[in-house]
Amino acid sequence: MSERPPALDFVSAHLPPPPARALDVGCGEGALTRELAARGYDARGIDPHAPEGALFERIAIEDLYVERRYDVAIAVVSLHHVADLAVAVERLGDAIVPGGLLLVDEFDRERLDPPTTAWLWRQRQALAAVGAGAEHEHGNAHDHHATLLDNLAEIDTWATVRAALEARFEERSVERVEYLYRYETHLALQPLERAMIELGAISPTGVRYVGRARE
């Protein structure tokens, strides 16, 4: 049984009805693209390392040109590491019909404060102790925090991505949500992470954005 795409519920809540044309930007292994196609969408997944098959194209978003525009584009944790964000946004804007939707599921490294990374470190340690996760080399939460921020320093922040999107898209909504349960931990941690966010103990590092292509 294939793993359920983590952003599927968010995407499903905003998609136009099938057979709308849907572009999956940075599709990775293609799980979301295949799910959309199975639901009757005219779906296409693009990624420099996309799988083989009729649903996919191995191409970077910066190199995308379309003859027939899409009704909706979906970018799941893919915009923060494109080589040229401004060009990527222009290509996205050109690829979507005026008024069409852009759904973005992102990660915001700026929300990785010490309490949040300490919680992540403890979860990783607990998972490793029961054989459900990899052993991490950091012996304390402070070192884990410093290394994590250093490793993520080159990706764009959500503030940077959001500002770039403004050039071609009208922002309709932004929601801050849990994300770390998807980041080298375990999906079973999602309800715990959400509860900790609601308590104010840790910060929400996930972002869900809905925008419309400008006329």
Side-chain angles (χ1 to χ4, degrees):
M1 182 177 178
S2 60
E3 186 175 288
R4 178 182 175 84
L8 183 59
D9 289 341
F10 161 63
V11 170
S12 298
H14 297 281
L15 282 173
R21 284 174 54 78
L23 177 67
D24 184 6
V25 179
C27 66
E29 296 180 358
L32 180 59
T33 307
R34 293 188 185 95
E35 178 65 27
L36 294 174
R39 293 185 180 194
Y41 288 92
D42 183 0
R44 188 163 191 80
I46 64 168
D47 193 299
H49 306 288
E52 294 183 357
L55 295 177
F56 304 103
E57 183 176 2
R58 289 182 176 169
I59 189 173
I61 181 61
E62 299 97 316
D63 299 322
L64 178 68
Y65 294 91
V66 301
E67 294 183 1
R68 184 181 170 203
R69 290 182 168 187
Y70 291 86
D71 301 298
V72 58
I74 303 141
V76 178
V77 200
S78 57
L79 294 181
H80 65 233
H81 57 65
V82 296
D84 191 323
L85 184 57
V87 171
V89 170
E90 285 299 313
R91 297 293 177 266
L92 269 177
D94 291 342
I96 304 172
V97 297
L101 286 175
L102 174 63
L103 308 178
V104 178
D105 176 83
E106 261 297 349
F107 166 67
D108 188 5
R109 64 178 173 84
E110 286 191 318
R111 292 296 182 98
L112 287 171
D113 52 37
T116 301
T117 59
W119 180 85
L120 175 62
W121 177 76
R122 288 192 294 270
Q123 307 319 305
R124 287 175 169 177
Q125 293 292 104
L127 288 167
V130 297
E135 290 284 349
H136 284 266
E137 68 275 15
H138 308 108
N140 59 72
H142 180 271
D143 290 346
H144 174 259
H145 175 81
T147 301
L148 188 61
L149 266 59
D150 185 61
N151 289 344
L152 295 172
E154 292 186 2
I155 69 171
D156 286 321
T157 65
W158 168 243
T160 299
V161 173
R162 189 180 195 178
L165 291 174
E166 180 67 20
R168 295 297 302 268
F169 296 91
E170 176 191 350
E171 185 176 297
R172 303 302 297 270
S173 66
V174 173
E175 182 184 10
R176 295 280 184 171
V177 296
E178 66 277 2
Y179 176 82
L180 298 178
Y181 72 96
R182 297 157 56 182
Y183 187 50
E184 299 179 10
T185 53
H186 198 288
L187 296 179
L189 289 174
Q190 182 178 13
L192 175 60
E193 184 180 356
R194 183 183 298 147
M196 295 295 285
I197 290 169
E198 291 172 353
L199 288 169
I202 63 175
S203 297
T205 55
V207 180
R208 287 176 177 169
Y209 165 102
V210 180
R212 286 196 180 275
R214 296 189 185 278
E215 300 290 337

